[in-house]
Amino acid sequence: VQLQASGGGLVQAGGSLRLSCAASGRIIRINVMEWYRQAPGKQRELVAAITSSGSTNYADPVKGRFTISRDNAKNTLYLQMNSLKAEDTAVYYCKAEISSTYRPGLVDYWGQGTLVTVSS
């Protein structure tokens, strides 16, 4: 099983970006999917989470600006980021709880990270 994150880049403050994270492999089921971020010199923090049924949860700093979503048919997670601020600059990682034919129990898998840089 692999998670491939994409969509990062350089954007001006106030701009928007959309991150994607595609899961591949012999997947049976994907449970919770999450976005984390890690800014330079800081610990990795949870940004947003979404369950398999579509319930969402957001960290306070991104509420009202970021939207997490998923396409279960495509095993893909998204993060729409609007009104970006300089403090949103970080490497963004996706994580998913996945059951696969290799490992039938739910296992956490991480994507490789995608860099988001917001210039002020």
Side-chain angles (χ1 to χ4, degrees), residues 98-118:
I98 298 176
S99 170
S100 67
T101 58
Y102 314 113
R103 302 177 73 177
L106 286 171
V107 176
D108 286 342
Y109 292 89
W110 288 86
Q112 84 285 6
T114 184
L115 177 62
V116 172
T117 303
V118 184

Side-chain angles (χ1 to χ4, degrees), residues 37 45-46 58-66 85 87-88:
R37 67 185 181 186
E45 62 178 3
L46 177 64
Y58 297 91
D60 286 343
V62 307
K63 282 181 180 176
R65 300 188 297 122
F66 291 10
K85 304 176 182 180
E87 51 264 42
D88 295 319

Side-chain angles (χ1 to χ4, degrees), residues 26-95:
R26 303 180 76 165
I27 295 168
I28 298 172
R29 182 170 72 92
I30 302 178
N31 193 24
V32 176
M33 302 184 83
E34 298 167 311
W35 286 103
Y36 285 77
R37 67 185 181 186
Q38 187 166 18
K42 295 188 177 181
Q43 289 189 329
R44 192 173 297 188
E45 62 178 3
L46 177 64
V47 174
I50 185 168
T51 67
S52 56
S53 60
S55 296
T56 59
N57 188 39
Y58 297 91
D60 286 343
V62 307
K63 282 181 180 176
R65 300 188 297 122
F66 291 10
T67 301
I68 190 171
S69 62
R70 61 192 283 174
D71 184 332
N72 291 330
K74 295 182 179 179
N75 290 334
T76 301
L77 174 69
Y78 303 99
L79 185 68
Q80 178 66 43
M81 305 185 295
N82 298 328
S83 302
L84 282 162
K85 304 176 182 180
E87 51 264 42
D88 295 319
T89 295
V91 177
Y92 284 72
Y93 299 89
C94 53
K95 182 169 81 77

